[in-house]
Amino acid sequence: MRSFIAIDTGQQVQTMVESMVEKLKRMGFRASWVPGGNSHVTISFLDNVEVQRLELLATMLSKRLRGFPAFTLETGKLGYFKHKELPKVVWIGIERNQTLSNLYREVRSVLESMNFPVEDNFRPHLTVGRMKFSPPLWRKFLETIETEKIVFQVNEVSVFESILSREGAKYREVFTCSFEGGLIKHDFEG
């Protein structure tokens, strides 16, 4: 199962992402746009993982994160990852905070204990789109876009399945690890 660990962002952030997609479309950008309902802050990509191993990972995460303090995250500025001097991915940043860094370290510890590959460069963000075409003045256009500052609550992390199709990726929550304790196994075919 193609999967990843992430923080769900909630409705207000999802609406902002949808609004950002519309602004970028009007400016002439073309991309594989992320639907607002797919908005999340990725903690770690897992790639293809057997369901049994994924369930063991979720169980270990749940135990490790029990008692982790709930905290808030705040959306930041619009940014991008470049490839050959053009934007490859446009994203909305997440303001860093120590609790988010601590959460990443806790998740990373569990991943390493189970021999999952881990990324060294954790850059929290919300992907808006994977660019297919950018207008000639793309840099100036992106600099003019203001993002709304939204604060959202984090009291759990989830393991998602990523289902690829012609229409784009669809994400389905498979497990939720609550900081208060407890593991929720969502209905899925596995």
Side-chain angles (χ1 to χ4, degrees):
M1 177 182 301
R2 185 179 154 93
S3 50
F4 59 94
I5 300 168
I7 297 168
D8 190 9
T9 59
Q11 186 60 47
Q12 194 176 5
V13 172
Q14 293 170 3
T15 300
M16 180 184 62
V17 169
E18 289 168 355
S19 172
M20 187 65 61
V21 166
E22 292 308 313
K23 283 180 190 174
L24 291 167
K25 284 180 179 178
R26 286 192 303 272
M27 291 178 168
F29 290 91
R30 290 195 302 265
S32 292
W33 302 109
V34 174
N38 278 358
S39 295
H40 62 271
V41 179
T42 301
I43 298 173
S44 186
F45 290 105
L46 301 174
D47 206 9
N48 290 310
V49 181
E50 295 173 358
V51 174
Q52 296 82 2
R53 187 165 188 231
L54 206 58
E55 187 164 6
L56 178 59
L57 171 63
T59 300
M60 291 180 68
L61 276 174
S62 181
K63 288 178 182 174
R64 181 78 181 219
L65 297 177
R66 172 181 242 125
F68 194 87
F71 63 102
T72 58
L73 289 177
E74 182 179 0
T75 58
K77 295 180 180 179
L78 192 68
Y80 54 88
F81 298 127
K82 285 194 311 188
H83 177 70
K84 296 182 180 179
E85 295 308 310
L86 288 171
K88 180 179 179 181
V89 175
V90 173
W91 45 262
I92 298 166
I94 298 293
E95 299 294 335
R96 279 203 179 258
N97 69 41
Q98 190 57 49
T99 310
L100 176 59
S101 297
N102 292 345
L103 175 63
Y104 174 72
R105 275 196 298 282
E106 294 295 332
V107 171
R108 181 182 172 133
S109 175
V110 172
L111 291 171
E112 288 174 339
S113 76
M114 293 185 66
N115 297 317
F116 278 96
V118 292
E119 299 170 36
D120 286 327
N121 189 14
F122 177 54
R123 234 171 136 180
H125 64 277
L126 304 163
T127 299
V128 176
R130 290 168 183 78
M131 298 297 109
K132 293 182 178 179
F133 173 81
S134 298
L137 297 174
W138 67 267
R139 192 180 313 262
K140 289 274 187 219
F141 288 156
L142 293 179
E143 288 171 359
T144 66
I145 297 176
E146 295 285 324
T147 55
E148 181 183 355
K149 295 282 186 190
I150 297 175
V151 175
F152 58 98
Q153 184 75 21
V154 179
N155 53 23
E156 62 189 26
V157 298
S158 295
V159 178
F160 289 87
E161 176 183 13
S162 176
I163 304 160
L164 302 179
S165 70
R166 285 181 195 230
E167 296 81 40
K170 291 185 179 15
Y171 305 138
R172 180 171 48 197
E173 209 168 8
V174 181
F175 298 100
T176 301
C177 306
S178 168
F179 297 166
E180 291 181 2
L183 175 65
I184 299 168
K185 182 178 180 178
H186 300 275
D187 289 333
F188 69 97
E189 299 165 12

